[in-house]
Amino acid sequence: MPKITYITSSGVEHVVDADSGISAMQAAVSHRVPGIDGDCGGVAACGTCHVWVDPSWLDRVGPARPGIESEMLALTDGRTPCSRLACQIELADAHDGLLLQMPTDQH
Amino acid sequence: MNAAVKPPQNHVERARTMPLADIDVSDITLYQQDALAPYFERLRREAPVHWCKNSLYGGYWSITRYHDIVAIDTNHKQFSSDHTNGSFVLDDTTLNAVEGGIAMPNFLGMDPPTHDDHRMAVSPIMAPANLLRFESLIRSRTKDLFDSLPLGQTFNWVEQVSIPLTTMMLATLLDFPFEDRARLTRWSDIVTTRPGYGLVDSWEQRTAELMDCLGYFQTLREQRQKLPPKADLISMLAHSPAMQGMTPTDFLGMLVLLIVGGNDTTRSSMSGSAMAAHLYPDEFAKAKADPALLASLVPEVIRWQTPIAHMRRTAIEDVEFRGQQIKKGDKVVMWYLSGNRDETVIERPDDFIADRANARRHLSFGFGIHRCLGNRLAEMQIKVLWEEMLGRYSKIEVVDAPLRVPSNLIHGYLDIQTRLHA
């Protein structure tokens, strides 16, 4: 069970014991982390689970994939090379300690 | 007592027995009678990817199941929105120069990369700082409006609540001269109509009014160009580097998208709010007792109403989809109104349930790159509306059968005779 830390735009940390195999969006929504909406249910189709992966984690998590994830991120506020849709990050034990920063608002 | 709206009995029978191939869910009389449910139910069950050969708009495919709609909506590489391939609404005359219609291209009718450039020119209007600024304005306007409404007398909710609130909002987004704002409502209405549906008598009249709209906004844009950039849509368009080469046709296209998208949609959700409050008094009472339910009630209103009945795509190559052969050039219609009633995805889909689990999982905003740009603002407007409805009244009663918009696109109301109870 990896421990994932979601950090809100005002700096509040929400630490979640997530199940391996689910997405970082599902882990946040099921633990009621405010700031991750996940309106489309996890198919990279709404852009409401935008997170910035902590740079120290980026090589392990990987950058946004080409196709719909990148296309949706292009339309969000504040896209950076660390931007991912949390629904496209499948969690594994190796993600224990992962830090995900959240934007002010999800569209 | 909670009671789902029952479609007219003759339609239940007709939908069940008529040949599948003859079903035409674009028939506007079905929308006027609120009779779509049994037809969509049959299509979802027996022909979820359905070809209608003859309609006012020619042949078209209907996509009626929730997950199939998501699949089409996120596959813009095969199912194009681009105006050069077709349109994003079933009726080509709405935005293209066919029959009597005129060309009004806009980014909802564009594929990437042009889509992204145009969308990004106006999307900052929905930035968190602007939404925060709008919230207090929306609240004071909503309070003032409800202060002026009579108790115990009947009035038309659409005219007295839905239209004024959404038109004021649109005027603010555009920084449009407030005294002229009724013109926005009129322009919004005529974009999505044809002659013969009670709004315009001829194509020439529609074109002339749309040209008035263009002229009015061209003057506004010229004025804004001379002023420093501000956070309103016209100023954004006037100053955006990507928008400098806009032709009058492109400018009109952008305007009608902003006007219809920012007006007709939330107007219908506000009208649907009165209907939901009337038809589901137990749910109204539940939310009145626990305002925290607004978090699920707001998306639930938007799902239950589904203010945009459909969006359309055009296949740009031959595609096999769920066993059906969709041909290049075919019109493919995603019926959000049906997907939001898909009983395999949404429990008791016909019912309005204030504390519905997963209420945010609905199709009303669309999915993929064309997802609604103003969704958060729309939710804020509906939230504030319901705060006032729940805070002030014990019951909102609709006293007569409502009159519905004659459209298979705008799923809304013209007249809802309403009585408020203290």
Side-chain angles (χ1 to χ4, degrees), chain B residues 118-305:
Chain B
H118 284 230
R119 182 174 166 126
M120 296 306 259
V122 291
S123 61
I125 193 78
M126 296 299 164
N130 282 330
L131 291 185
L132 208 61
R133 180 165 67 91
F134 294 145
E135 183 162 10
S136 54
L137 188 63
I138 292 169
R139 184 160 286 110
S140 69
R141 283 174 177 170
T142 309
K143 279 182 187 296
D144 288 351
L145 184 126
F146 276 106
D147 283 346
S148 74
L149 291 175
L151 281 173
Q153 293 172 30
T154 58
F155 65 91
N156 179 357
W157 178 277
V158 181
E159 259 176 32
Q160 302 286 317
V161 178
S162 315
I163 289 178
L165 287 177
T166 50
T167 305
M168 284 191 277
M169 188 71 242
L170 184 60
T172 298
L173 294 173
L174 296 162
D175 194 13
F176 188 87
F178 215 60
E179 64 282 7
D180 281 349
R181 65 188 187 280
R183 305 196 71 181
L184 293 171
T185 316
R186 171 72 187 170
W187 290 327
S188 179
D189 288 341
I190 64 166
V191 171
T192 54
T193 196
R194 287 177 166 233
Y197 290 107
L199 282 169
V200 292
D201 297 325
S202 66
W203 288 113
E204 291 72 23
Q205 185 194 348
R206 178 175 179 268
T207 302
E209 292 198 39
L210 289 168
M211 288 302 133
D212 280 347
C213 171
L214 174 62
Y216 194 110
F217 277 99
Q218 280 174 323
T219 308
L220 281 186
R221 183 175 61 174
E222 281 160 27
Q223 292 165 354
R224 304 277 154 91
Q225 254 160 355
K226 294 179 191 130
L227 298 168
K230 299 186 287 129
D232 71 78
L233 288 165
I234 301 307
S235 184
M236 285 175 185
L237 290 174
H239 291 277
S240 160
M243 297 295 112
Q244 292 311 304
M246 269 192 142
T247 63
T249 298
D250 290 340
F251 186 49
L252 180 61
M254 176 69 99
L255 289 170
V256 301
L257 174 61
L258 298 173
I259 291 173
V260 176
N263 186 52
D264 267 326
T265 49
T266 306
R267 183 202 300 181
S268 299
S269 294
M270 287 189 172
S271 301
S273 293
M275 294 301 294
H278 166 72
L279 290 166
Y280 298 91
D282 290 354
E283 299 301 310
F284 187 85
K286 213 196 285 180
K288 193 174 167 70
D290 181 8
L293 293 185
L294 283 172
S296 53
L297 182 151
V298 169
E300 174 68 351
V301 169
I302 295 167
R303 178 198 72 85
W304 187 78
Q305 177 57 35

Side-chain angles (χ1 to χ4, degrees), chain A residues 81-105:
Chain A
C82 294
S83 289
R84 290 295 310 264
L85 291 180
C87 70
Q88 301 303 299
I89 303 174
E90 192 186 323
L91 297 174
D93 290 343
H95 291 119
D96 190 43
L98 176 62
L99 299 173
L100 300 173
Q101 187 89 39
M102 296 181 286
T104 331
D105 208 359

Side-chain angles (χ1 to χ4, degrees), chain A:
Chain A
M1 294 237 311
K3 229 183 243 311
I4 313 296
T5 303
Y6 301 84
I7 307 163
T8 69
S9 58
S10 53
V12 180
E13 296 191 358
H14 297 267
V15 183
V16 164
D17 285 314
D19 292 325
S20 291
I22 68 169
S23 74
M25 180 279 284
Q26 288 168 311
V29 169
S30 61
H31 288 85
R32 297 178 192 281
V33 174
I36 300 277
D37 295 336
D39 288 2
C40 76
V43 292
C46 68
T48 65
C49 64
H50 178 203
V51 291
W52 294 293
V53 176
D54 189 86
S56 67
W57 277 91
L58 193 60
D59 52 342
R60 276 168 286 177
V61 174
R65 295 189 197 110
I68 188 78
E69 184 184 358
S70 292
E71 289 162 0
M72 292 308 293
L73 282 169
L75 306 173
T76 60
D77 298 329
R79 186 195 186 175
T80 75
C82 294
S83 289
R84 290 295 310 264
L85 291 180
C87 70
Q88 301 303 299
I89 303 174
E90 192 186 323
L91 297 174
D93 290 343
H95 291 119
D96 190 43
L98 176 62
L99 299 173
L100 300 173
Q101 187 89 39
M102 296 181 286
T104 331
D105 208 359
Q106 305 277 5
H107 295 276

